[in-house]
Each structure stands twice: as C-alpha cells, then as structure tokens.
Amino acid sequence: MLGMCFMVAASAQSEQRFMNEANITYGQFTAPQMVYVLGEVFGAAFSLGHFSTDNTIFLGAFGVEYYHYANSWFAYGASVLFDYTTSDAYTVDKDGNRTPNGKFNLGWASMMPSAKFTWLRREKISLYSKLSVGPGLIVGGSDSVKDNLTVSFQATPIGMAFGKKESIGGFAEIGFGMQGIVNVGIQKRF
C-alpha cells in the first residue's frame, strides 16, 4: 500500500516537471482598438462630420507574461502589455475641406494579475482558459482622456499551447480584452 502511494506521488511529480512559464505575446482586435474605433464613429457623429481621422495604424498589444503552476491544472501570475494606435486628425468645414489637426495617439499600458486553468493536457498540446484583471494607464489621446488610470482585463475562454515540456513552444488564444480577440506568442516552460 505504501509503495502504491509512492508510485502515485512519483507519477504526479513527473507530470509536474515544469512549474513555471514565461510568454512573449502579441494580440490584435484589442479592447482599446475597439474603443478607438467607437470614438472615431461617435466623434464624427457628435461633431456632425466636422472631425475625422485618417491613416489609422493599430500596432497591436505586445506583452510578457509569467505563470507559476500551483498544481497540474492551476497557475497564477501576471501579464504586462502595451497597445498603441495612431492616426492623422482633421477638422472638416461645411464645404468638406479637411484641415490637418495633427496626430491623434493613444497608448494603453496594462499590468494584470492573471489566473490560468488547464483543462486538457497531452504530451505536446494543452488547452486552457485564463482571466486577467488589473490597472491600466491610458497615455496620449485627447486632453479629456490623457494619462488616466483605468481598469484592464482579459477573458480568454480557450487557449491552446503546443510544444514539448521544458522546451520553447507556442500558443494561440481567442478571447476579449487588452490582449485582443486573437493573441499568439512563444513560451518557455521551466
């Protein structure tokens, strides 16, 4: 009986050979990008067409993450990321003539405590969900939105990590929030 307990404990230990994970992430279709697009729509509507933007560039959300595995299915850690958008701003007169008004830049920095729940683990692939919530800082934008502290979040119902244990692998996620609807990257397990 005692030998059986040691075998189960040794099996659980070998299953948990990696206890930490570091990720480099890139995401698109982020919550700040969606807010920016809605701001353009409402800005044009409320100004009766006298304000517009052009040449909008969404750089996406670049970030790093760290997770520590408490057991084989639960990990906790943090995500730090930055999302940046820029465009040319114009004032439009009643005749439709556009006058350049400078650049409109919006950056969003986030630092979010995170929890990851692995619900399927195989030798070279795992499926998981994660939730992150924490402070965010809006940098740039208009005077009314400049340098404000806000809440950042990411809800990822499904993520897929691939690669061998204790090696460099990759991942892809589908979710909503600061890391985007689509978030991909590389990870190192150790």
Side-chain angles (χ1 to χ4, degrees):
M1 180 75 161
L2 187 58
M4 183 90 144
C5 290
F6 283 124
M7 285 176 44
V8 169
S11 172
Q13 189 72 9
S14 69
E15 190 67 27
Q16 262 307 86
R17 286 176 50 188
F18 68 91
M19 297 295 291
N20 298 292
E21 178 183 297
N23 301 328
I24 298 173
T25 71
Y26 176 73
Q28 274 291 354
F29 311 111
T30 66
Q33 289 174 357
M34 292 179 197
V35 167
Y36 189 90
V37 169
L38 284 173
E40 285 185 343
V41 169
F42 286 121
F46 288 125
S47 70
L48 301 174
H50 295 292
F51 174 79
S52 71
T53 58
D54 201 2
N55 303 321
T56 301
I57 299 171
F58 296 113
L59 293 182
F62 294 91
V64 293
E65 294 179 316
Y66 167 79
Y67 289 98
H68 175 74
Y69 282 83
N71 55 42
S72 63
W73 61 271
F74 177 73
Y76 58 90
S79 300
V80 177
L81 58 104
F82 186 72
D83 190 359
Y84 185 75
T85 302
T86 184
S87 64
D88 297 325
Y90 296 92
T91 303
V92 183
D93 66 18
K94 63 182 177 182
D95 297 326
N97 300 319
R98 293 175 10 146
T99 305
N101 231 10
K103 286 278 193 190
F104 185 85
N105 304 306
L106 182 63
W108 196 299
S110 302
M111 188 175 90
M112 304 177 291
S114 304
K116 184 184 264 190
F117 308 92
T118 302
W119 37 276
L120 177 68
R121 184 178 306 254
R122 298 289 184 249
E123 184 179 339
K124 295 181 182 177
I125 193 168
S126 63
L127 299 176
Y128 59 89
S129 300
K130 75 177 184 183
L131 183 62
S132 306
V133 178
L137 179 66
I138 301 171
V139 181
S142 66
D143 291 335
S144 63
V145 197
K146 195 166 189 130
D147 299 344
N148 283 326
L149 198 59
T150 187
V151 175
S152 293
F153 68 94
Q154 176 70 26
T156 302
I158 186 163
M160 178 177 68
F162 45 90
K164 293 182 179 180
K165 292 180 182 177
E166 296 184 21
S167 68
I168 295 177
F171 66 89
E173 301 173 344
I174 296 174
F176 180 75
M178 304 306 150
Q179 291 179 311
I181 292 175
V182 177
N183 187 37
V184 297
I186 58 173
Q187 66 183 198
K188 172 67 177 156
R189 299 173 185 156
F190 52 98

